[in-house]
Amino acid sequence: MRKKIVIGNWKMNLNLNSAKELTSRIIELHKTNTVDVGICPPSIYIQAISSLTKGTKILFGAQNMFYENEGAFTGEISPQMLKDFPVDMILIGHSERREVFKETDEYVNKKIKAALSLDLLPVVCVGESLKIREEGKAEEWVKSQVIKALDGLENSQVEKLIVAYEPIWAIGTGKVCEAEDANKIISMIRETIKAKTNDSASKKVRILYGGSIKSSNFFDIVKYENIDGGLVGGASLKADEFLKIVEAAEKAQSVTLK
Ligand code: PGA
């Protein structure tokens, strides 16, 4: 059985003190091993925050990196640099990177390969815009993003991935995707992965939902067997609320629906 995971994406929020306080509170409140919990602070706080999560149950993630390990890439952070800290995972292809910073599917694929080559766990984000959803092309769009992300990967690499389905219209808007609908798309993602690899690899990949997750709506989503957790933005900035979301995943771990 896959272990559910809840990951907080702090985006470009907090300052050094509030980031340290939030981290300490999450470490203090997260007691069980039933589900995995991760946090992704802003890059400039990697050193400070990873020194707090080191040796705890909390997984540490970075929000971004480039795919080359060194060179003339002003302002970028390399996978190799992340390895100087205890960084466990890396967000790749978040819609804000794709939309605001024009990152392409090709970039996403290169970043996944760079991360895997250094044993960083890629959390690969996919999801459709409102326009694409309204045109009835959401499944087609997400399927194509998944296929391009997996291009050239061995089955043994694919099975290590975490994929996050984040419909863009649900991110930061308060409009959460209907649970059944999220389950349908996430099941389609698993089928797509199975077609590209095999049954065993597709069963190992953890596939999360993201977009306006709150403690009040999350159990309804994460109760599905196919939905392995959540990528949480706004609600991950308050320790108590974030831990309630983690509790919903813990409850769901034992009561999963087909
Ligand atoms: P949100 O963001 O929870 O604030 O909607 C989710 C995300 O962008 O990962």
Side-chain angles (χ1 to χ4, degrees):
M1 196 193 208
R2 291 180 301 271
K3 192 173 183 188
K4 297 201 193 264
I5 177 165
V6 178
I7 302 170
N9 172 13
W10 296 357
K11 307 194 180 183
M12 199 175 71
N13 292 301
L14 306 173
N15 59 33
L16 183 56
N17 275 339
S18 55
K20 281 185 181 169
E21 270 170 36
L22 178 56
T23 308
S24 304
R25 189 91 181 110
I26 291 171
I27 293 170
E28 184 189 322
L29 291 175
H30 178 53
K31 303 262 186 259
T32 75
N33 282 317
T34 334
V35 299
D36 288 328
V37 173
I39 53 170
C40 303
S43 301
I44 196 159
Y45 303 140
I46 286 175
Q47 182 160 19
I49 305 299
S50 66
S51 70
L52 297 177
T53 54
K54 190 176 176 181
T56 72
K57 288 196 286 274
I58 308 294
L59 297 168
F60 186 88
Q63 293 178 19
N64 186 37
M65 61 167 203
F66 194 51
Y67 52 76
E68 296 286 355
N69 273 325
E70 58 181 19
F73 304 106
T74 303
E76 288 296 323
I77 294 174
S78 80
Q80 192 64 63
M81 289 168 181
L82 293 177
K83 293 299 285 185
D84 282 340
F85 306 95
V87 173
D88 306 296
M89 59 191 174
I90 171 81
L91 301 185
I92 297 177
H94 190 283
S95 62
E96 286 148 20
R97 303 271 348 148
R98 292 180 189 257
E99 294 219 310
V100 184
F101 301 99
K102 309 294 172 219
E103 289 192 9
T104 60
D105 287 313
E106 197 193 342
Y107 256 58
V108 170
N109 178 256
K110 284 185 172 172
K111 287 184 175 195
I112 294 170
K113 288 176 178 155
L116 287 169
S117 74
L118 290 177
D119 273 336
L120 289 164
L121 173 64
V123 180
V124 186
C125 307
V126 293
E128 80 287 357
S129 65
L130 185 59
K131 183 167 174 283
I132 289 166
R133 174 155 282 244
E134 284 174 349
E135 286 167 0
K137 294 185 182 152
E139 290 204 19
E140 196 186 310
W141 177 268
V142 171
K143 186 173 184 174
S144 143
Q145 283 184 322
V146 172
I147 290 172
K148 288 175 187 158
L150 303 188
D151 190 46
L153 298 186
E154 307 283 332
N155 293 0
S156 59
Q157 294 180 303
V158 173
E159 64 186 36
K160 292 188 185 134
L161 301 181
I162 293 181
V163 176
Y165 167 57
E166 298 206 299
I168 298 171
W169 48 270
I171 296 180
T173 58
K175 279 189 224 154
V176 67
C177 186
E178 292 288 328
E180 247 180 72
D181 203 14
N183 186 45
K184 194 166 150 232
I185 300 227
I186 285 174
S187 305
M188 180 282 292
I189 294 174
R190 199 173 302 286
E191 283 305 310
T192 305
I193 294 172
K194 183 172 158 186
K196 282 280 282 176
T197 57
N198 56 32
D199 192 44
S200 145
S202 73
K203 282 188 176 142
K204 288 186 183 145
V205 177
R206 288 193 279 188
I207 312 180
L208 320 182
Y209 167 79
S212 294
I213 292 175
K214 290 190 278 209
S215 59
S216 55
N217 60 29
F218 193 48
F219 179 74
D220 249 10
I221 298 170
V222 75
K223 69 186 180 204
Y224 286 97
E225 193 189 19
N226 247 329
I227 305 186
D228 302 311
L231 182 54
V232 189
S236 70
L237 297 170
K238 297 251 167 4
D240 292 356
E241 172 65 2
F242 184 58
L243 267 297
K244 279 190 201 155
I245 292 169
V246 173
E247 276 166 27
E250 283 170 1
K251 186 171 153 205
Q253 185 77 54
S254 48
V255 207
T256 44
L257 298 178
K258 294 264 174 204

